[in-house]
Every structure is written in C-alpha cells, then in structure tokens.
Amino acid sequence: MTPLHAKLTRDLWRMKGQAIAIGLVIAIGVAMQVMMTGLVLSLTETRNAYYDRYRLADVFAPLARAPERVAETLARIDGVAQVETRITGMALVDIAGRDLPVSARTLSLPEHGAPRLNDILLTAGRMIDRSRPEEILLLDGFAAANGLRPGDRIRTTMNGARRSLLIVGTAQSPEFLYTTAPGEFVPDDARFGVIWMNRSVLAAAYDLEGAFNEALVSLTRNAREEAVLDAIDRVLSPFGGPGAYGLADQFSNRFVSEEIAGLEVSSTGVPPIFLAVAAFLLYIVISRLVQSEREEIGLMKAFGYRNGEVGWHYMQLVLTIALGGALLGCLLGIAAGRAMIPVYTTYYKFPFLLFRLEPASFLTGIATSVFVASIGGLFVLRRIFRLAPAEAMRPPTPPDYSRTGRFGAGLSQWLDQPSRMVLRRITRQPGRMAGAVFGIAAGMGLSLGMLTIYEGFDVALDRTFNVIDRSDATVTFAYPASDKTILELARMDGITLAEPVRQVPVVFRNGRLDHQGAITGLAPGAHLFRALDANEQPIALPERGVVLSTALASILALEPGDPVTVEVREGSQPVLTVPVTGIADSLMGSPAYMDLAALNRLLGEPGRVSGAYLAVDPDRQASVHAALKDMPVVAGVSLRTEALAAFQTIMDSGAGSIRYVMGFMAFIITFGIVYNAARVAQAERSRDLASLRVIGFHTGETAFVLLGELAVVVLAALPLGILIGRSLSSGIAAGFSTELYQIPVIFAPQAQGLAIAVVVAAALLSGWLVKRDIDRADMIEALKTRE
C-alpha cells in the first residue's frame, strides 16, 4: 500500500459518518432511477409478450347485430389479417352475502377449438364442455375476490332471464388486465367479472343465432390502422356499429398504457431531482474537505508528489464515495423494483411479471454521480494546485472582515460570548452559510413536495366522492331507457331521490387532437352528482354547448368559446359541432357534461336515460337492493362507499404507492443533508472548538458555538425550503397524474408543518451526534497538525 493509499484509507475512516451519509443520498437517487426505469421496462415487455402470446386483437368493432356472412366482407378489407366474431353482453350475478347483484360481461367461446384472437389463459379447473350449456369459465380475479372456485354454481340474470351456471374453471385474458363495472373508472374485482360461455348458449340468450355483435380483427404488418377502421365502419354501419377502435383505445390497454406512461414520466423527471440534490451535497462536502487540507497538499508536493498524483489521490476519495453510493443505489433499486412487482400483478391482472433491469439506468446513475462529484473536486483543486508547496503549507491569508464588522454590531452587545462567536461566523462567511442553507432547503423542498402529493391524493378522493358525487348508489341501465324508469325508481320504498343521467360514448375532435370518451347528460339543478368549477361551485349547464373537464380541455387544447367536433358512437351516430361553454374541475377521468334535455335533443332521442343517481334511506337499503335486482333494465348497481374504497386501493397501489417510497427517500435525503452540514462545520472548526476547551469553555458552551450555527442555518433554510417545495410539487404532481385521476397541488399548512418538523428533527438528531463527538474529542490531538 502506497503512502497516499494509506492516507486515503485514514481519511475515509476519519470521515466515515459523512461518507456514509453522502453515499446514502447518492444511493437513493440512483435507486429511484433503477427502480422506476426497471418497472417501465418490465411492464412494457410483459404487456407486449402477453398480448402477442394470446393474440390480442388490433381492432375491436362492436355492433348491434350482423349476420355471420358479414365477417367474410371484413376479412377482404386491405390490411386485415384475421377476423374473429363473437357474442358479448351484460349479466347480473347474485353473490352470496351481498344484497346487490354485481355486473359481469359475458363472452362467447368458439364452438370448436380455441379462439383465434383474444385467447384465454386457464388458471384453474378445465375448459368448458360445449355439450353442456350450463358450464362457464369465470375471470380469475372476480372468482378469488368472491370466494368462488370450480365446482360452485352462480345465479345470473341475462337479458331478463335467470340462469343457474356451473363454474368449471377460472381464466385470465390480456383483454382484461384492467376491469371496471359499467359507468365506473375504478376497478374492483369483487364488483365486476367476466363470464366465458359456449357461443350457442349466448346466442340463444341474446337472440343472436347465426349472428354476432362484436368483431375482432388483427392487422397485417404494413396496414394503416386509420384506413382499416374507416373501412370496417363502412361495412358495419348498417348493422348498428358505433365505430371500430384500435388497441390504443381499448379500455384495459389504455389504462395499462397510461400507468406505464406515468411511470416513464416519473422515472425521467423525479430521480434527477434527487440526484441533483445529492450531487450538490457531495460538491459542498468535497470542496470544503479539500480546502481544509491545504497544508497537507503543500506537504505532499514538498515531498515530491506531482500535481497529477495529488489530484488523483483526492479524486479517488471522491470516486470511492460516489461509486460506493451508486453501486448501493443499484442494489436498492433492484430490491425495490422486485418488491413492487406483486403490487402490479394484483393491480393489473398479469399472469406473470418479472422485474427486468434497464442497463442504461445503471450507467446513467453511476455516470451522473461520478461526473458531478469529479467536477466539484476539480473545481476546488484547480485553485490549490496553482500554489507553490511552501505557500500551500502556510495557512491561507486571513480574510478581510473589516467591512463585516458593522453588521450585527448593535446586536452583539446583547449577546454572550458564545452567541457573538456564532454571529461572527455567519456574517464573516456568508457564502459558506448560503451553501449550507440552500442544501438543507433543497432537502426540505423534496420532503415538502412529497407531503404535498400525499395531501393532493386525499383531496382528490374527498372532492370526487364527497363533493362531486353525493349519491348513495348509481344504477346503470342495460340500454338507454325511457325517463319513466326514473319515476319508477323514485316511487320505490326507501329511495328518497332519483336523478337521471345519460352517458353517451363519443369521440371528441379538435383539429388533429382527438379523445375517445363520453358525454354525461345531467338534469338541471342536479343535487346528487354535479359539475363543479374550480371554486367547487355548481356549474349551470346551458341549453346549448358542452362543459369540459380540466383534463379533457387540456388534451384537446380547448377553451370556453371554442367549437369542438363530437362524433357520437351510438344510435344514428350523428357528427355534431358544439361550443365549449365552460370548464369543470374534475379530478377523476376526463368527463364532459351537457344538459340532459339538450343532449337528447341533439341526438333526436327525447326522454332517454342510461342510468340514475339514487339517495337511499339507510334503514331500507336491503329492500331497495332487492327491488333493483328484479328490474330487467338494470345492468349494474354500484355503491359510492364501495367505489371510494376501491379508489383508495387504486391510489395506494401501482404508481400511487411509489409516492410512499419516494417520500421515505426524501426524508432520508433531508436527514443526510442536515447531518453533513453539521459534520462539515465540525470538521472545519475542530481546532477552534478544541482551543475553546483549552481556554476554559465548558463542553456545553463549546457545543453551543457549533450547534448555534447549525440552528441559525436550519432556521434560515425553512422559508427557502417552503418555496422550493412549492416549485417541485407541480412537477411531481404532473408525474403522478394519469387519465384515471389527476393529483391537485394543495399547499396545506399541515404538510408544511410536517416538512419543517422533519428538518428540525434531523437537526436535533444531527446535533446530538455531533455533540457526542465533541464531548469525546481529545483536545491535544485536535490541536495537532495532521500528517
């Protein structure tokens, strides 16, 4: 071991506390990047492999009814590789222990062989016997959530007829990675399922013998999707086709892709913030360390070491800390990514999901840490290397404090000697103090940014399920029904209020921008479900025009007064141009609202509704639920309390759960910054503190000189930390927001108070650790010049 290597080892051991703290801060930034980029890669490759292995269709074309021969016409369209027809419908399922029936989608299986498109994965039991009409397969997640298994029977209502069905197996499908009940955005395995049955049985149930009501299409490699969609629409339009759509607009795939896109945004935007703070901290520590070893550098040069050898010695110190932290971050990122995999296999119904590593994330994290650390070291060494050995071995020229003497002079007469020493240190070295203040403020800003996101998630829940939606239950009809159905509901014993709603699937277009969504028609003066403005005040829906949500207006780049083209995807499918009359503040989905009568008037279908919001007497819920079961028109019933619980689960799973990981890491970084600020100050003033002990200061008075400086720095960092946290919050919120939900930026006093408490707690703990070392310090050894 060379003398320089021995010195390197001694230096690392001497500053082991600082080195470990800095390494952990770097490790956290690298771990975030490795974990999130790994999750993006894992989800993307797993999704693509699952789609390919089970032949998920490229195009979905629902319709009312078409004879089977139409499939041959579809197969002749240029760009179409394969066509599969099927029958689909909705059913209600009676589950033991539940007052309300749950919704299920029914799908046909071919009479012979496996589906050519949208194949299924059998997870338990066996495939159905085509000769036994009562046998079914059930969606695996739905069966597990309701305690159902092969051999059990369930009672269903399909097209108004009750049936007893035998479960012979459970299955998964790439078509149903994300499933929700009709009219909802939030998945809940217990409240929505999928049933696969023999095609002939479903054809009889829905009166579709010799016909189909959905076509699945796969495309050739060079096909133009838009041209194929137009051709399919021309073929199916006479048969009640609302419009074919591609895989990008398929409900399940759209939300999976949205989750991946959100993770990708977070992985490119959030980890660099952590790495930047870590790099800044490392720069401060290394620059002060090198500056404090000015005499040692001169001594090494006097013994004949060249500038390159001395510089490489300090670079080795920097690289050891940076590389150690980066490598630890890679390991932590792998562990955290693997720990997140079960969350996604539960949240999205992937049959398999392996955590894949992104090599670029390792290289980026390591290279960034090393590069920034090296730049900081070189910047400081450049000034010292210009000194001759004899000059470097002398203490630096005392700085001129003559101009700072007046500052605080009036305050000094009211302070004791230790307090005056703290004041002089701060006023005479404002640059160093400013660096420490900014470092602590940056750590606090990260913590406050994450705490603000926590508050935003809570506000999104409260506003959606307590302010916008104030109903007890939502009823969805199997088809647009007469508004007299609302009167029947209102007359039911136990229902205190029933308000109509109509959901119309549409495609919004503004130039080249488009969005597949729906228009919600609400009755004037609606009380149970309302469109609200940014001040949470109800918006009076006009007799003409549409009110867009903030998210939808942003997607389409529209403002009040602009026209928007609306392509209706049901009934006669008119293409309408309506003005945007307002913007609603919605934090769930991307809805659009119209006056119910005005919407029906535009569609030429007066007096039609597709559902209702209900207020139910709590003492008569059971009788209301029983009555709703017996209504053939009802396709589904959802309770607001259950939807709230499901949404809470969603926000605590998937990308939403990562906010807790990021918050924990932000708190660690905050502590690391405060601890390093205290350690650096202690290292710089070790001789001064020992001198104070020699001349008679008690240990408490000596510690006060150092800890008082830390207290002033921390207090000065608090307001700056709040400003930084406010700036970071918007970017972090945008990274977490998806089409399913938008996270508002809420600067709650409790979040700011908790962020301040985190910094103060970190300062107290760091101060205690530093004071413990001061009490243990050897005065004689501290006064010696290190060799």
Side-chain angles (χ1 to χ4, degrees):
M1 179 180 291
T2 66
L4 289 183
H5 287 155
K7 180 180 182 300
L8 175 63
T9 304
R10 289 196 303 270
D11 287 345
L12 284 172
W13 178 253
R14 176 171 49 84
M15 58 177 296
K16 56 183 179 295
Q18 288 175 266
I20 292 174
I22 296 171
L24 286 176
V25 173
I26 294 174
I28 288 170
V30 175
M32 288 295 302
Q33 187 167 24
V34 171
M35 178 188 70
M36 299 182 78
T37 54
L39 287 174
V40 169
L41 180 65
S42 302
L43 290 172
T44 301
E45 291 194 354
T46 302
R47 177 195 61 181
N48 295 342
Y50 193 24
Y51 287 1
D52 182 66
R53 186 176 303 177
Y54 291 91
R55 304 179 297 281
L56 185 64
D58 298 312
V59 173
F60 298 76
L63 61 148
R65 176 192 176 99
E68 193 63 35
R69 66 176 183 274
V70 176
E72 299 177 2
T73 306
L74 295 175
R76 289 194 293 270
I77 295 175
D78 187 28
V80 171
Q82 201 167 33
V83 176
E84 173 114 51
T85 63
R86 67 182 183 182
I87 296 172
T88 179
M90 294 301 298
L92 293 179
V93 182
D94 289 330
I95 300 295
R98 291 182 63 95
D99 293 335
L100 282 173
V102 297
S103 302
R105 186 179 178 189
T106 55
L107 293 173
S108 66
L109 290 174
E111 294 289 343
H112 304 285
R116 290 173 295 174
L117 297 176
N118 290 25
D119 199 1
I120 58 176
L121 170 64
L122 192 67
T123 57
R126 61 174 175 84
M127 294 295 293
I128 63 174
D129 185 343
R130 265 66 172 190
S131 65
R132 298 181 178 179
E134 77 278 6
E135 292 188 355
I136 64 169
L137 298 178
L138 204 58
L139 186 65
D140 181 79
F142 176 75
N146 290 286
L148 300 172
R149 55 184 59 87
D152 293 342
R153 282 189 171 271
I154 58 173
R155 293 191 58 82
T156 64
T157 301
M158 292 187 292
N159 202 23
R162 293 188 178 275
R163 295 174 178 267
S164 176
L165 302 174
L166 174 65
I167 304 171
V168 298
T170 59
Q172 290 180 316
S173 168
E175 186 179 358
F176 300 106
L177 293 176
Y178 186 96
T179 55
T180 65
E184 297 186 21
F185 278 94
V186 182
D188 186 349
D189 288 340
R191 297 190 299 119
F192 182 77
V194 179
I195 299 173
W196 287 273
M197 301 178 65
N198 191 359
R199 178 160 179 163
S200 60
V201 178
L202 274 187
Y206 295 106
D207 192 23
L208 288 170
E209 290 88 348
F212 65 94
N213 62 1
E214 186 174 28
L216 305 175
V217 178
S218 64
L219 303 179
T220 59
R221 179 173 298 179
N222 299 322
R224 293 179 56 248
E225 184 177 287
E226 292 184 4
V228 175
L229 292 177
D230 290 341
I232 292 175
D233 288 344
R234 286 194 296 270
V235 173
L236 298 183
S237 180
F239 302 99
Y245 55 90
L247 181 59
D249 292 321
Q250 196 262 346
F251 187 82
S252 172
N253 177 71
R254 187 172 63 177
F255 282 101
V256 174
S257 300
E258 188 73 21
E259 175 84 354
I260 295 174
L263 273 174
E264 196 166 10
V265 171
S266 298
S267 67
T268 56
V270 176
I273 297 175
F274 286 76
L275 284 175
V277 173
F280 176 78
L281 173 62
L282 185 60
Y283 165 74
I284 291 177
V285 173
I286 296 301
S287 63
R288 291 189 177 183
L289 172 66
V290 173
Q291 185 68 31
S292 67
E293 296 207 346
R294 171 190 174 103
E295 295 181 12
E296 284 80 355
I297 292 173
L299 187 62
M300 285 186 286
K301 294 175 72 174
F303 273 96
Y305 288 99
R306 295 186 298 272
N307 284 342
E309 293 175 309
V310 177
W312 177 239
H313 164 72
Y314 284 98
M315 273 300 154
Q316 285 179 306
L317 179 65
V318 172
L319 293 176
T320 300
I321 298 174
L323 283 174
L327 292 176
L328 177 61
C330 292
L331 296 177
L332 290 176
I334 295 172
R338 289 178 174 173
M340 291 295 297
I341 291 300
V343 174
Y344 282 96
T345 53
T346 302
Y347 181 51
Y348 293 116
K349 304 304 180 288
F350 287 108
F352 54 89
L353 184 58
L354 299 177
F355 183 67
R356 299 291 301 274
L357 301 176
E358 177 59 67
S361 63
F362 291 96
L363 295 177
T364 302
I366 294 174
T368 301
S369 304
V370 171
F371 174 75
V372 177
S374 301
I375 291 297
L378 289 173
F379 181 78
V380 177
L381 288 172
R382 185 187 61 177
R383 294 177 297 172
I384 297 179
F385 287 165
R386 286 198 290 245
L387 297 176
E391 184 180 356
M393 291 174 63
R394 291 197 302 265
T397 304
D400 182 10
Y401 295 135
S402 59
R403 297 183 180 180
T404 63
R406 301 188 189 92
F407 185 80
L411 184 62
S412 297
Q413 60 181 334
W414 303 100
L415 302 177
D416 56 13
Q417 184 61 37
S419 300
R420 287 199 294 271
M421 295 175 66
V422 172
L423 181 62
R424 282 197 299 268
R425 166 82 170 181
I426 294 173
T427 57
R428 290 180 175 182
Q429 295 181 331
R432 293 190 178 185
M433 296 302 105
V437 167
F438 183 81
I440 295 174
M444 177 182 168
L446 287 176
S447 299
L448 178 57
M450 296 312 305
L451 290 169
T452 300
I453 298 305
Y454 296 166
E455 189 70 23
F457 271 80
D458 293 338
V459 169
L461 281 172
D462 179 70
R463 191 176 299 173
T464 299
F465 292 100
N466 294 320
V467 180
I468 295 177
D469 186 358
R470 303 190 292 183
S471 64
D472 296 315
T474 303
V475 176
T476 303
F477 300 149
Y479 49 82
S482 168
D483 54 6
K484 294 181 180 179
T485 309
I486 304 299
L487 299 178
E488 296 179 16
L489 289 172
R491 286 196 294 266
M492 281 187 183
D493 187 27
I495 294 181
T496 59
L497 181 61
E499 292 182 351
V501 64
R502 183 167 187 185
Q503 299 280 353
V504 179
V506 301
V507 175
F508 297 97
R509 297 191 188 278
N510 178 34
R512 295 185 177 181
L513 302 175
D514 62 81
H515 178 77
Q516 185 175 11
I519 294 179
T520 301
L522 300 175
H527 175 74
L528 298 180
F529 190 94
R530 307 170 297 166
L532 304 179
D533 60 19
N535 297 319
E536 298 187 4
Q537 297 301 312
I539 298 175
L541 300 178
E543 295 184 359
R544 184 175 180 274
V546 62
V547 174
L548 304 181
S549 63
T550 306
L552 183 55
S554 176
I555 293 172
L556 298 174
L558 291 171
E559 297 180 355
D562 294 338
V564 60
T565 301
V566 177
E567 298 178 4
V568 180
R569 291 303 178 93
E570 74 173 26
S572 60
Q573 301 183 36
V575 178
L576 311 170
T577 300
V578 295
V580 177
T581 58
I583 304 296
D585 189 37
S586 174
L587 299 178
M588 183 174 177
S590 305
Y593 306 99
M594 287 187 69
D595 177 79
L596 177 59
L599 176 60
N600 285 333
R601 204 163 43 245
L602 284 175
L603 299 178
E605 298 175 352
R608 312 302 288 179
V609 295
S610 60
Y613 295 105
L614 306 179
V616 181
D617 185 345
D619 297 329
R620 302 189 178 183
Q621 285 185 355
S623 61
V624 170
H625 296 168
L628 292 175
K629 277 186 180 182
D630 296 330
M631 294 184 68
V633 72
V634 174
V637 181
S638 64
L639 301 180
R640 182 175 59 87
T641 54
E642 291 182 343
L644 173 60
F647 197 27
Q648 181 71 65
T649 301
I650 290 298
M651 286 191 163
D652 291 338
S653 306
S657 64
I658 292 180
R659 72 189 192 271
Y660 295 117
V661 178
M662 293 174 61
F664 175 71
M665 291 181 172
F667 296 149
I668 293 178
I669 284 183
T670 301
F671 170 75
I673 292 174
V674 176
Y675 176 76
N676 272 279
R679 282 296 187 188
V680 168
Q682 180 190 7
E684 290 179 339
R685 307 193 68 183
S686 59
R687 291 172 61 87
D688 297 339
L689 297 176
S691 299
L692 291 177
R693 292 288 308 280
V694 169
I695 63 177
F697 279 77
H698 299 297
T699 55
E701 294 174 314
T702 304
F704 176 81
V705 174
L706 182 62
L707 299 183
E709 174 187 324
L710 176 64
V712 173
V713 168
V714 168
L715 291 176
L718 296 182
L720 181 59
I722 292 176
L723 294 177
I724 294 176
R726 286 174 174 256
S727 301
L728 293 178
S729 297
S730 299
I732 298 175
F736 277 108
S737 297
T738 67
E739 189 174 334
L740 175 61
Y741 52 78
Q742 293 80 49
I743 304 303
V745 179
I746 306 296
F747 299 112
Q750 57 266 32
Q752 298 180 23
L754 184 55
I756 292 174
V758 168
V759 174
V760 172
L764 292 176
L765 179 58
S766 301
W768 176 76
L769 293 173
V770 170
K771 184 180 185 304
R772 185 187 61 177
D773 288 349
I774 293 175
D775 294 342
R776 295 175 178 176
D778 186 338
M779 293 183 290
I780 304 302
E781 188 67 25
L783 290 173
K784 290 181 179 179
T785 300
R786 291 196 311 273
E787 296 181 358

